[in-house]
Amino acid sequence: MRAETVVCGTLVDYRGVHGEGCVVVEDGVIVGITGRPPSAVNLLDYQGQGVYVAPGFIDLHVHLRGLGLSYKEDEHSGTAAAAASGITMVADMPNTVPRLSTAKTLSEKLQALERRSLVDYSVYAGIPGSLEEASRLASMPIAGFKVYPSDLLDRFDIVRAVLDSSDTLIVVHPELPEAEKPLVESNSSRTMHRGCHWETAAVELVASLQPRARVHITHVSCPSALERARLAGFTVDVTPHHLLLQEWDEDCLFRVNPPLRDAHHSMLLLERLLEGMVDAFASDHAPHAVWEKSEPLTCRPGIPWLEAWPQMLYCLVEAGALGLSKYLWLVSRGPARILGLSGYGVLETGARANLTVFRPGSGRVLAPELSKARHIPYFMERRCMEVLATIVGGVVVYHEGVLTGKTGAVNPFSWREGAHQRLHREEVSS
Ligand code: DOR
Ligand code: ZN
């Protein structure tokens, strides 16, 4: 019998390099790992070419926009950009227009993702206005709730209630509402106004509520906040920009929340990462229109990353700072664990057949071609690997520079009959 899809190369996951071999896929699931390619309907054979076949990358913090913000990005353009970077699953943020904090807008958003996403997806609900709405949202196929600084001011009781619900993932933007000054500051004064004290204080506040939920602090930019979060037993991610860029650049392209820090802080953050204190990379891909990124005093915060970040952060591996296994933890298994998904981030029989095929090698980052956000602050910076193929649920979505027009994308939080029943929610203990 011919297998549905077979992908061969140097097999690797967070446990290390498993050697040359092939991943055999049927019905969206890995059904075997073999030494030689069996006969297959779709065969990608990169054996002996220095090409890695790894579990699909996951980005647990992206803004795909859509709905009323589709001029910035939408579910198709954003996930096309993700696929070109080997990202096989994204978790989307709820600060859309309208916000994803009612069952109605959330189902609209889920439908748009189902129709248009090229990669597996999930979405966080925004904090709603009532407890009734919160339990309606919690019963929908979401990854969890997202808490923004303004929620701590406007909806504190609901935040407290969701933090108190066990087996729910709460993703927290670590700044207090007081840090959200009007957008009339230069980048360096924003770095001061929105300083590390606000970030650490936000983590402290959440910890003081003694949450029963799983808490994840997204984009820690300060070592002090990171240390406080770990002490509280929260998971943390870091963005490429807080690791690679610094505050001194006044250009709008470098404006982001929390703001970029100085070289000392980004070095310390990198040090903590290399010490193993970080659970995942997450991009905070935040696309805006060109005209929204042009006016120095009022420009919108956010950096679009989806077409470049895994390739750029691989330079840490190339430089010998980060082991390949640790990199694969941070881009794949780590985010899967935070999201509570087994069967993701690992190459083994029974796992979801999401795969990223890449070849180490140095090059330059060019302007994005698939995301609607074309202006980036890292144009012509170095990248250290090239994505050759992206496979989602056994379907080749991206292959050597081309989107194939096919996808096997699912929302793993939707309980479905058939193959996807093999995807289990996983209890996360750390
Ligand atoms: O820089 C940012 N941009 N930080 C956020 O928290 C929101 C994001 C956006 O939605 O543009
Ligand atoms: Zn964000």
Side-chain angles (χ1 to χ4, degrees), residues 276-335:
M277 289 176 71
V278 172
D279 301 280
F281 289 134
S283 75
D284 194 9
H285 171 78
H288 294 286
V290 173
W291 54 269
E292 294 171 312
K293 290 297 269 179
S294 322
E295 175 50 51
L297 291 183
T298 57
C299 53
R300 308 292 302 143
I303 296 175
W305 272 115
L306 277 175
E307 270 171 86
W309 74 261
Q311 298 88 325
M312 285 178 76
L313 287 180
Y314 195 79
C315 293
L316 292 172
V317 180
E318 200 227 28
L322 194 66
L324 175 59
S325 309
K326 185 67 191 168
Y327 172 86
L328 292 173
W329 179 275
L330 292 165
V331 295
S332 187
R333 184 68 195 129

Side-chain angles (χ1 to χ4, degrees), residues 103-427:
K104 183 171 174 292
T105 52
L106 195 55
S107 7
E108 253 177 71
K109 177 70 185 183
L110 286 166
Q111 278 166 29
L113 283 163
E114 186 172 354
R115 273 199 317 273
R116 313 200 63 214
S117 182
L118 295 179
V119 301
D120 285 356
Y121 57 88
S122 62
V123 68
Y124 305 103
I127 299 296
S130 72
L131 282 176
E132 296 69 47
E133 195 68 35
S135 48
R136 259 195 296 280
L137 297 177
S139 70
M140 296 175 73
I142 58 171
F145 285 89
K146 172 73 187 283
V147 175
Y148 282 98
S150 59
D151 296 320
L152 300 173
L153 194 64
D154 303 336
R155 291 168 280 271
F156 189 62
D157 287 349
I158 317 288
V159 171
R160 236 195 334 225
V162 295
L163 281 170
D164 202 34
S165 45
S166 55
D167 196 36
T168 306
L169 175 66
I170 312 296
V171 177
V172 178
H173 174 124
E175 286 186 293
L176 288 182
E178 291 89 330
E180 299 201 300
K181 302 266 182 202
L183 297 168
V184 290
E185 301 140 0
S186 68
N187 285 1
S188 47
S189 60
R190 290 177 84 255
T191 297
M192 223 154 56
H193 285 304
R194 304 184 76 131
C196 283
H197 52 291
W198 290 124
E199 193 168 307
T200 312
V203 177
E204 185 65 49
L205 172 69
V206 175
S208 75
L209 299 173
Q210 302 189 321
R212 292 201 297 149
R214 288 147 41 210
V215 175
H216 176 70
I217 308 294
T218 193
H219 53 43
V220 283
S221 65
C222 303
S224 52
L226 191 159
E227 281 157 23
R228 184 63 191 94
R230 291 205 52 104
L231 198 64
F234 304 158
T235 49
V236 297
D237 67 58
V238 295
T239 65
H241 44 278
H242 291 119
L243 285 170
L244 303 177
L245 307 175
Q246 278 97 31
E247 49 136 1
W248 58 65
D249 212 308
E250 287 300 324
D251 195 281
C252 281
L253 294 182
F254 293 81
R255 181 159 301 181
V256 72
N257 289 335
L260 299 178
R261 307 294 175 194
D262 62 20
H264 176 68
H265 281 86
S266 60
M267 277 297 294
L268 284 175
L269 199 61
L270 180 61
E271 215 172 273
R272 298 292 172 277
L273 173 90
L274 301 181
E275 285 165 5
M277 289 176 71
V278 172
D279 301 280
F281 289 134
S283 75
D284 194 9
H285 171 78
H288 294 286
V290 173
W291 54 269
E292 294 171 312
K293 290 297 269 179
S294 322
E295 175 50 51
L297 291 183
T298 57
C299 53
R300 308 292 302 143
I303 296 175
W305 272 115
L306 277 175
E307 270 171 86
W309 74 261
Q311 298 88 325
M312 285 178 76
L313 287 180
Y314 195 79
C315 293
L316 292 172
V317 180
E318 200 227 28
L322 194 66
L324 175 59
S325 309
K326 185 67 191 168
Y327 172 86
L328 292 173
W329 179 275
L330 292 165
V331 295
S332 187
R333 184 68 195 129
R337 268 181 75 78
I338 293 164
L339 291 166
L341 297 170
S342 63
Y344 278 75
V346 65
L347 277 195
E348 65 191 20
T349 300
R352 173 125 175 102
N354 284 2
L355 304 170
T356 302
V357 182
F358 66 95
R359 177 166 35 215
S362 153
R364 296 278 158 192
V365 178
L366 302 177
E369 293 182 348
L370 298 165
S371 168
K372 291 183 188 179
R374 301 288 159 97
H375 291 252
I376 50 173
Y378 48 84
F379 181 63
M380 292 302 275
E381 294 290 328
R382 242 175 114 230
R383 62 168 172 77
C384 294
M385 61 87 153
E386 178 189 13
V387 173
L388 297 178
T390 305
I391 291 116
V392 176
V395 177
V396 181
V397 176
Y398 174 85
H399 186 215
E400 302 199 0
V402 180
L403 291 168
T404 62
K406 299 181 194 151
T407 182
V410 298
N411 173 356
F413 297 93
S414 296
W415 200 249
R416 300 197 184 169
E417 293 300 309
H420 309 308
Q421 277 190 347
R422 280 170 253 189
L423 304 172
H424 298 295
R425 293 294 306 279
E426 179 182 359
E427 290 300 325

